[in-house]
Amino acid sequence: MSAHTHAQIALHAQQLTLRAGARTLLDAFTQTFGPGELWCIAGPNGAGKTTLMSTLAGLLRPAQGHVELDGARVSDWPLARLARRRAWMPQASHDAFSASVLDVVLLNRFPHLAGWGWERDEDRAAAHAALASLGLADFASRDVLSLSGGERQRVALAGVLCQDAPLLLLDEPLAHLDLHHQIDCLEALHAWTRGGTRSVLFSCHDLNLARRFATHALLLEGNGIAHAGPVRDVLTPELASRAFGYPLVLIRDGDDEALIPAFRSSAQN
């Protein structure tokens, strides 16, 4: 990944309303996602996490409101310039043909190429650095079609890091990963935001990993209501119980904390 310094970047949702059929997922939501922040987007299935992420990326139009990047509406950004400012990782990647892992990651350097579009030494260095940051250095020559689902997920994240955009929007980047690879990925994202010029938004189902690594959280209830702020102010037993429709309690062991389901006896059911 290149060492050049990016300008400060801010993503802003202004009076954003999202709907799915007759349901209002998010109602008149306003929030700025600033540089140096690592945001977790959480909520139950169907609450609108993917819809929100796609809208913030400029891939979906909201029912009302708009999204701004660096003070300009995302819908007004030229696509090539937008790709240098924000990178998008969908929930699943589908490989249609055989290619090496290195070549797949290098595809994310396309926004930076000029002239004939040939990769430069710095592009290859960025790809190798991204793979190394996720423990994938030995995978560079592997055929992407030979990878497991979890390995392919890590390669997709390496591609997004290789794109070297100061804003990352990641939809379920931890899906298909075992615990230690989930932690490796979150540590890489935490390192990515270090320095205060880059931002990451990722959706996630594991509230405890979010509380450990994220700086901020956005908790969607799926009924128009959302809670946003510092992660431990948002992912609380009270708000999480309300959003997920099941009582959660916070347990502590020294400096460690965890949200767990509350025990309910059969007499309470």
Side-chain angles (χ1 to χ4, degrees):
M1 288 166 280
S2 66
H4 67 273
T5 301
H6 292 293
Q8 295 283 305
I9 186 171
L11 181 70
H12 180 70
Q14 179 63 37
Q15 292 292 302
L16 206 62
T17 295
L18 305 178
R19 296 193 179 98
R23 289 178 56 215
T24 297
L25 301 174
L26 196 59
D27 187 27
F29 174 72
T30 296
Q31 181 67 45
T32 296
F33 307 93
E37 296 175 349
L38 178 56
W39 282 79
C40 172
I41 313 299
N45 290 336
K49 297 185 295 294
T50 294
T51 300
L52 174 60
M53 297 286 287
S54 300
T55 302
L56 293 174
L59 303 175
L60 290 178
R61 289 184 177 274
Q64 293 178 12
H66 64 272
V67 177
E68 296 177 1
L69 183 60
D70 290 354
R73 295 194 181 203
V74 171
S75 57
D76 294 337
W77 277 69
L79 292 180
R81 185 166 166 244
L82 180 61
R84 292 191 292 271
R85 295 299 273 155
R86 74 98 179 95
W88 162 250
M89 179 178 168
Q91 280 192 30
S93 300
H94 303 285
D95 302 298
F97 53 87
S98 176
S100 74
V101 165
L102 181 64
D103 285 340
V104 169
V105 172
L106 273 171
L107 289 174
N108 287 69
R109 295 297 297 175
F110 182 78
H112 301 281
L113 303 184
W116 291 99
W118 300 111
E119 296 92 355
R120 303 154 296 181
D121 289 343
E122 64 188 82
D123 300 312
R124 294 186 182 87
H128 282 293
L131 287 169
S133 72
L134 295 171
L136 295 169
D138 294 337
F139 282 58
S141 61
R142 288 269 303 270
D143 189 323
V144 70
L145 296 182
S146 73
L147 303 183
S148 69
E151 290 167 342
R152 183 61 185 91
Q153 190 79 351
R154 292 158 63 205
V155 168
L157 181 56
V160 169
L161 294 177
C162 181
Q163 192 169 328
D164 201 22
L167 171 66
L168 307 184
L169 298 172
L170 316 173
D171 193 9
E172 297 286 354
L174 307 183
H176 313 300
L177 302 186
D178 54 33
L179 180 60
H180 85 274
H181 285 134
Q182 289 180 346
I183 292 173
D184 288 346
C185 289
L186 288 170
E187 287 178 339
L189 294 176
H190 185 268
W192 177 261
T193 60
R194 195 176 298 135
T197 61
R198 294 163 165 167
S199 307
V200 175
L201 283 74
F202 70 100
S203 55
C204 175
H205 286 283
D206 193 318
L207 302 183
N208 290 312
L209 285 179
R211 282 171 56 89
R212 176 175 172 182
F213 287 96
T215 61
H216 294 74
L218 172 56
L219 179 61
L220 306 178
E221 292 193 14
N223 56 4
I225 298 173
H227 310 277
V231 65
R232 296 202 174 193
D233 292 345
V234 172
L235 297 184
T236 65
E238 297 77 18
L239 293 180
S241 297
R242 174 174 156 176
F244 287 93
Y246 194 92
L248 300 172
V249 295
L250 187 67
I251 62 171
R252 293 182 174 88
D253 181 11
D255 294 332
D256 296 322
E257 298 180 341
L259 284 169
I260 65 169
F263 175 75
R264 297 200 300 192
S265 68
S266 57
Q268 292 175 299
N269 294 332

